[in-house]
mmCIF file of all heavy atoms in Angstrom:
data_model
loop_
_atom_site.group_PDB
_atom_site.id
_atom_site.type_symbol
_atom_site.label_atom_id
_atom_site.label_comp_id
_atom_site.label_asym_id
_atom_site.label_seq_id
_atom_site.Cartn_x
_atom_site.Cartn_y
_atom_site.Cartn_z
ATOM 1 N N GLU E 7 0.832 -1.199 0.000
ATOM 2 C CA GLU E 7 0.000 0.000 0.000
ATOM 3 C C GLU E 7 0.868 1.250 0.000
ATOM 4 O O GLU E 7 1.852 1.337 0.742
ATOM 5 C CB GLU E 7 -0.916 -0.005 1.224
ATOM 6 C CG GLU E 7 -2.006 -1.069 1.173
ATOM 7 C CD GLU E 7 -2.875 -1.081 2.406
ATOM 8 O OE1 GLU E 7 -2.349 -0.840 3.511
ATOM 9 O OE2 GLU E 7 -4.083 -1.309 2.278
ATOM 10 N N GLY E 8 0.484 2.203 -0.863
ATOM 11 C CA GLY E 8 1.225 3.456 -0.948
ATOM 12 C C GLY E 8 2.334 3.434 -1.979
ATOM 13 O O GLY E 8 2.834 4.492 -2.383
ATOM 14 N N ASP E 9 2.742 2.231 -2.429
ATOM 15 C CA ASP E 9 3.799 2.124 -3.429
ATOM 16 C C ASP E 9 3.245 2.295 -4.841
ATOM 17 O O ASP E 9 2.048 2.532 -5.033
ATOM 18 C CB ASP E 9 4.498 0.764 -3.320
ATOM 19 C CG ASP E 9 5.398 0.668 -2.099
ATOM 20 O OD1 ASP E 9 5.645 1.719 -1.472
ATOM 21 O OD2 ASP E 9 5.847 -0.441 -1.773
ATOM 22 N N THR E 10 4.126 2.140 -5.839
ATOM 23 C CA THR E 10 3.745 2.196 -7.259
ATOM 24 C C THR E 10 4.012 0.836 -7.895
ATOM 25 O O THR E 10 5.052 0.229 -7.656
ATOM 26 C CB THR E 10 4.558 3.273 -7.993
ATOM 27 O OG1 THR E 10 4.235 4.558 -7.443
ATOM 28 C CG2 THR E 10 4.227 3.276 -9.482
ATOM 29 N N ALA E 11 3.079 0.357 -8.698
ATOM 30 C CA ALA E 11 3.247 -0.921 -9.409
ATOM 31 C C ALA E 11 3.288 -0.659 -10.910
ATOM 32 O O ALA E 11 2.554 0.195 -11.423
ATOM 33 C CB ALA E 11 2.102 -1.869 -9.076
ATOM 34 N N VAL E 12 4.157 -1.383 -11.609
ATOM 35 C CA VAL E 12 4.261 -1.253 -13.065
ATOM 36 C C VAL E 12 4.006 -2.624 -13.681
ATOM 37 O O VAL E 12 4.687 -3.600 -13.362
ATOM 38 C CB VAL E 12 5.651 -0.737 -13.496
ATOM 39 C CG1 VAL E 12 5.732 -0.676 -15.020
ATOM 40 C CG2 VAL E 12 5.923 0.639 -12.893
ATOM 41 N N MET E 13 3.005 -2.702 -14.560
ATOM 42 C CA MET E 13 2.680 -3.946 -15.259
ATOM 43 C C MET E 13 3.061 -3.806 -16.728
ATOM 44 O O MET E 13 2.864 -2.734 -17.321
ATOM 45 C CB MET E 13 1.202 -4.274 -15.094
ATOM 46 C CG MET E 13 0.864 -4.746 -13.679
ATOM 47 S SD MET E 13 -0.869 -5.192 -13.459
ATOM 48 C CE MET E 13 -1.546 -3.567 -13.168
ATOM 49 N N ILE E 14 3.594 -4.881 -17.301
ATOM 50 C CA ILE E 14 4.139 -4.838 -18.652
ATOM 51 C C ILE E 14 3.481 -5.907 -19.523
ATOM 52 O O ILE E 14 3.304 -7.046 -19.103
ATOM 53 C CB ILE E 14 5.667 -5.079 -18.629
ATOM 54 C CG1 ILE E 14 6.351 -4.047 -17.730
ATOM 55 C CG2 ILE E 14 6.247 -5.031 -20.043
ATOM 56 C CD1 ILE E 14 7.819 -4.347 -17.483
ATOM 57 N N CYS E 15 3.118 -5.532 -20.752
ATOM 58 C CA CYS E 15 2.610 -6.478 -21.741
ATOM 59 C C CYS E 15 3.415 -6.347 -23.025
ATOM 60 O O CYS E 15 3.767 -5.239 -23.429
ATOM 61 C CB CYS E 15 1.133 -6.229 -22.039
ATOM 62 S SG CYS E 15 0.021 -7.228 -21.026
ATOM 63 N N LYS E 16 3.680 -7.510 -23.656
ATOM 64 C CA LYS E 16 4.454 -7.529 -24.895
ATOM 65 C C LYS E 16 3.721 -8.344 -25.945
ATOM 66 O O LYS E 16 3.082 -9.345 -25.638
ATOM 67 C CB LYS E 16 5.836 -8.146 -24.647
ATOM 68 C CG LYS E 16 6.691 -7.396 -23.644
ATOM 69 C CD LYS E 16 8.016 -8.119 -23.430
ATOM 70 C CE LYS E 16 8.866 -7.404 -22.384
ATOM 71 N NZ LYS E 16 10.155 -8.119 -22.155
ATOM 72 N N SER E 17 3.859 -7.915 -27.189
ATOM 73 C CA SER E 17 3.340 -8.669 -28.325
ATOM 74 C C SER E 17 4.525 -9.227 -29.098
ATOM 75 O O SER E 17 5.500 -8.516 -29.359
ATOM 76 C CB SER E 17 2.512 -7.762 -29.233
ATOM 77 O OG SER E 17 2.221 -8.414 -30.441
ATOM 78 N N PHE E 18 4.449 -10.511 -29.459
ATOM 79 C CA PHE E 18 5.554 -11.159 -30.151
ATOM 80 C C PHE E 18 5.218 -11.368 -31.624
ATOM 81 O O PHE E 18 4.162 -11.879 -31.964
ATOM 82 C CB PHE E 18 5.867 -12.507 -29.506
ATOM 83 C CG PHE E 18 6.432 -12.374 -28.125
ATOM 84 C CD1 PHE E 18 5.583 -12.343 -27.023
ATOM 85 C CD2 PHE E 18 7.789 -12.255 -27.925
ATOM 86 C CE1 PHE E 18 6.092 -12.211 -25.747
ATOM 87 C CE2 PHE E 18 8.310 -12.126 -26.654
ATOM 88 C CZ PHE E 18 7.470 -12.094 -25.557
ATOM 89 N N GLY E 19 6.141 -10.976 -32.471
ATOM 90 C CA GLY E 19 6.007 -11.268 -33.895
ATOM 91 C C GLY E 19 5.293 -10.192 -34.691
ATOM 92 O O GLY E 19 5.674 -9.889 -35.813
ATOM 93 N N TYR E 20 4.246 -9.567 -34.124
ATOM 94 C CA TYR E 20 3.448 -8.613 -34.873
ATOM 95 C C TYR E 20 3.199 -7.369 -34.024
ATOM 96 O O TYR E 20 3.036 -7.456 -32.813
ATOM 97 C CB TYR E 20 2.109 -9.231 -35.293
ATOM 98 C CG TYR E 20 2.273 -10.572 -35.951
ATOM 99 C CD1 TYR E 20 2.099 -11.741 -35.222
ATOM 100 C CD2 TYR E 20 2.633 -10.662 -37.288
ATOM 101 C CE1 TYR E 20 2.271 -12.983 -35.820
ATOM 102 C CE2 TYR E 20 2.809 -11.906 -37.891
ATOM 103 C CZ TYR E 20 2.623 -13.062 -37.149
ATOM 104 O OH TYR E 20 2.799 -14.275 -37.732
ATOM 105 N N SER E 21 3.138 -6.209 -34.673
ATOM 106 C CA SER E 21 2.935 -4.943 -33.957
ATOM 107 C C SER E 21 1.453 -4.586 -33.938
ATOM 108 O O SER E 21 0.823 -4.493 -35.004
ATOM 109 C CB SER E 21 3.728 -3.818 -34.627
ATOM 110 O OG SER E 21 5.112 -4.106 -34.588
ATOM 111 N N PRO E 22 0.873 -4.376 -32.748
ATOM 112 C CA PRO E 22 -0.544 -4.002 -32.660
ATOM 113 C C PRO E 22 -0.791 -2.605 -33.204
ATOM 114 O O PRO E 22 0.102 -1.754 -33.217
ATOM 115 C CB PRO E 22 -0.826 -4.057 -31.149
ATOM 116 C CG PRO E 22 0.318 -4.804 -30.550
ATOM 117 C CD PRO E 22 1.492 -4.540 -31.423
ATOM 118 N N ILE E 23 -2.027 -2.370 -33.619
ATOM 119 C CA ILE E 23 -2.446 -1.026 -34.021
ATOM 120 C C ILE E 23 -2.626 -0.174 -32.776
ATOM 121 O O ILE E 23 -2.298 1.019 -32.762
ATOM 122 C CB ILE E 23 -3.779 -1.093 -34.799
ATOM 123 C CG1 ILE E 23 -3.617 -1.950 -36.048
ATOM 124 C CG2 ILE E 23 -4.273 0.298 -35.154
ATOM 125 C CD1 ILE E 23 -4.922 -2.268 -36.744
ATOM 126 N N ALA E 24 -3.152 -0.787 -31.715
ATOM 127 C CA ALA E 24 -3.404 -0.052 -30.466
ATOM 128 C C ALA E 24 -3.434 -1.017 -29.298
ATOM 129 O O ALA E 24 -3.675 -2.216 -29.459
ATOM 130 C CB ALA E 24 -4.736 0.696 -30.562
ATOM 131 N N TRP E 25 -3.166 -0.465 -28.100
ATOM 132 C CA TRP E 25 -3.237 -1.223 -26.845
ATOM 133 C C TRP E 25 -4.357 -0.657 -25.984
ATOM 134 O O TRP E 25 -4.601 0.552 -25.968
ATOM 135 C CB TRP E 25 -1.934 -1.106 -26.069
ATOM 136 C CG TRP E 25 -0.762 -1.852 -26.615
ATOM 137 C CD1 TRP E 25 0.215 -1.360 -27.431
ATOM 138 C CD2 TRP E 25 -0.423 -3.224 -26.377
ATOM 139 N NE1 TRP E 25 1.141 -2.334 -27.716
ATOM 140 C CE2 TRP E 25 0.777 -3.486 -27.084
ATOM 141 C CE3 TRP E 25 -1.012 -4.245 -25.633
ATOM 142 C CZ2 TRP E 25 1.396 -4.729 -27.058
ATOM 143 C CZ3 TRP E 25 -0.393 -5.488 -25.616
ATOM 144 C CH2 TRP E 25 0.793 -5.717 -26.321
ATOM 145 N N THR E 26 -5.021 -1.528 -25.228
ATOM 146 C CA THR E 26 -6.022 -1.095 -24.251
ATOM 147 C C THR E 26 -5.817 -1.884 -22.954
ATOM 148 O O THR E 26 -5.605 -3.099 -22.999
ATOM 149 C CB THR E 26 -7.463 -1.329 -24.755
ATOM 150 O OG1 THR E 26 -7.613 -0.723 -26.038
ATOM 151 C CG2 THR E 26 -8.478 -0.719 -23.786
ATOM 152 N N TRP E 27 -5.873 -1.174 -21.831
ATOM 153 C CA TRP E 27 -5.765 -1.829 -20.521
ATOM 154 C C TRP E 27 -7.141 -1.885 -19.863
ATOM 155 O O TRP E 27 -7.949 -0.960 -19.998
ATOM 156 C CB TRP E 27 -4.808 -1.057 -19.614
ATOM 157 C CG TRP E 27 -3.357 -1.283 -19.926
ATOM 158 C CD1 TRP E 27 -2.575 -0.563 -20.777
ATOM 159 C CD2 TRP E 27 -2.517 -2.316 -19.375
ATOM 160 N NE1 TRP E 27 -1.308 -1.077 -20.797
ATOM 161 C CE2 TRP E 27 -1.233 -2.145 -19.959
ATOM 162 C CE3 TRP E 27 -2.723 -3.350 -18.467
ATOM 163 C CZ2 TRP E 27 -0.164 -2.983 -19.636
ATOM 164 C CZ3 TRP E 27 -1.662 -4.178 -18.149
ATOM 165 C CH2 TRP E 27 -0.391 -3.994 -18.729
ATOM 166 N N TYR E 28 -7.384 -2.984 -19.135
ATOM 167 C CA TYR E 28 -8.649 -3.153 -18.415
ATOM 168 C C TYR E 28 -8.371 -3.582 -16.974
ATOM 169 O O TYR E 28 -7.399 -4.268 -16.699
ATOM 170 C CB TYR E 28 -9.520 -4.246 -19.064
ATOM 171 C CG TYR E 28 -9.965 -3.948 -20.472
ATOM 172 C CD1 TYR E 28 -9.191 -4.330 -21.560
ATOM 173 C CD2 TYR E 28 -11.167 -3.294 -20.726
ATOM 174 C CE1 TYR E 28 -9.594 -4.071 -22.862
ATOM 175 C CE2 TYR E 28 -11.585 -3.029 -22.022
ATOM 176 C CZ TYR E 28 -10.792 -3.415 -23.086
ATOM 177 O OH TYR E 28 -11.202 -3.156 -24.367
ATOM 178 N N MET E 29 -9.248 -3.166 -16.086
ATOM 179 C CA MET E 29 -9.236 -3.661 -14.708
ATOM 180 C C MET E 29 -10.514 -4.467 -14.503
ATOM 181 O O MET E 29 -11.553 -4.169 -15.105
ATOM 182 C CB MET E 29 -9.156 -2.509 -13.702
ATOM 183 C CG MET E 29 -10.289 -1.512 -13.786
ATOM 184 S SD MET E 29 -10.043 -0.057 -12.734
ATOM 185 C CE MET E 29 -10.107 -0.820 -11.125
ATOM 186 N N THR E 30 -10.449 -5.501 -13.685
ATOM 187 C CA THR E 30 -11.603 -6.355 -13.443
ATOM 188 C C THR E 30 -12.352 -5.896 -12.206
ATOM 189 O O THR E 30 -11.778 -5.748 -11.134
ATOM 190 C CB THR E 30 -11.167 -7.821 -13.259
ATOM 191 O OG1 THR E 30 -10.440 -8.238 -14.421
ATOM 192 C CG2 THR E 30 -12.365 -8.734 -13.090
ATOM 193 N N ASN E 31 -13.639 -5.659 -12.393
ATOM 194 C CA ASN E 31 -14.508 -5.278 -11.280
ATOM 195 C C ASN E 31 -15.641 -6.294 -11.225
ATOM 196 O O ASN E 31 -16.635 -6.158 -11.919
ATOM 197 C CB ASN E 31 -15.042 -3.857 -11.473
ATOM 198 C CG ASN E 31 -15.870 -3.393 -10.281
ATOM 199 O OD1 ASN E 31 -15.982 -4.084 -9.271
ATOM 200 N ND2 ASN E 31 -16.457 -2.207 -10.390
ATOM 201 N N GLY E 32 -15.441 -7.346 -10.397
ATOM 202 C CA GLY E 32 -16.404 -8.447 -10.389
ATOM 203 C C GLY E 32 -16.294 -9.206 -11.703
ATOM 204 O O GLY E 32 -15.226 -9.662 -12.084
ATOM 205 N N SER E 33 -17.387 -9.300 -12.441
ATOM 206 C CA SER E 33 -17.376 -9.967 -13.737
ATOM 207 C C SER E 33 -17.214 -8.973 -14.883
ATOM 208 O O SER E 33 -17.162 -9.356 -16.045
ATOM 209 C CB SER E 33 -18.676 -10.759 -13.926
ATOM 210 O OG SER E 33 -19.791 -9.885 -13.845
ATOM 211 N N GLU E 34 -17.101 -7.697 -14.549
ATOM 212 C CA GLU E 34 -17.021 -6.643 -15.562
ATOM 213 C C GLU E 34 -15.585 -6.173 -15.750
ATOM 214 O O GLU E 34 -14.806 -6.088 -14.806
ATOM 215 C CB GLU E 34 -17.899 -5.457 -15.127
ATOM 216 C CG GLU E 34 -17.982 -4.339 -16.143
ATOM 217 C CD GLU E 34 -18.835 -3.175 -15.661
ATOM 218 O OE1 GLU E 34 -19.305 -3.228 -14.502
ATOM 219 O OE2 GLU E 34 -19.013 -2.222 -16.434
ATOM 220 N N GLN E 35 -15.236 -5.868 -17.000
ATOM 221 C CA GLN E 35 -13.925 -5.305 -17.308
ATOM 222 C C GLN E 35 -14.081 -3.829 -17.648
ATOM 223 O O GLN E 35 -14.853 -3.468 -18.539
ATOM 224 C CB GLN E 35 -13.282 -6.048 -18.479
ATOM 225 C CG GLN E 35 -12.856 -7.462 -18.135
ATOM 226 C CD GLN E 35 -12.155 -8.150 -19.291
ATOM 227 O OE1 GLN E 35 -12.033 -7.601 -20.361
ATOM 228 N NE2 GLN E 35 -11.701 -9.365 -19.067
ATOM 229 N N ILE E 36 -13.356 -2.993 -16.911
ATOM 230 C CA ILE E 36 -13.446 -1.542 -17.099
ATOM 231 C C ILE E 36 -12.179 -1.052 -17.779
ATOM 232 O O ILE E 36 -11.068 -1.307 -17.319
ATOM 233 C CB ILE E 36 -13.634 -0.832 -15.744
ATOM 234 C CG1 ILE E 36 -14.903 -1.347 -15.054
ATOM 235 C CG2 ILE E 36 -13.697 0.677 -15.935
ATOM 236 C CD1 ILE E 36 -15.074 -0.843 -13.637
#
């Protein structure tokens, strides 16, 4: 608590047009 977290995602082989991040709230992704 109070710290900073950094999460990383990588795509292999092909470059995406765009990235989107989601957080899970119950069964819903925001």
Side-chain angles (χ1 to χ4, degrees):
E7 291 178 324
D9 287 348
T10 296
V12 178
M13 288 182 277
I14 303 171
C15 267
K16 299 178 182 179
S17 169
F18 292 90
Y20 310 98
S21 298
I23 300 170
W25 287 95
T26 307
W27 283 91
Y28 297 90
M29 59 188 295
T30 303
N31 184 5
S33 59
E34 184 181 3
Q35 290 183 357
I36 301 172

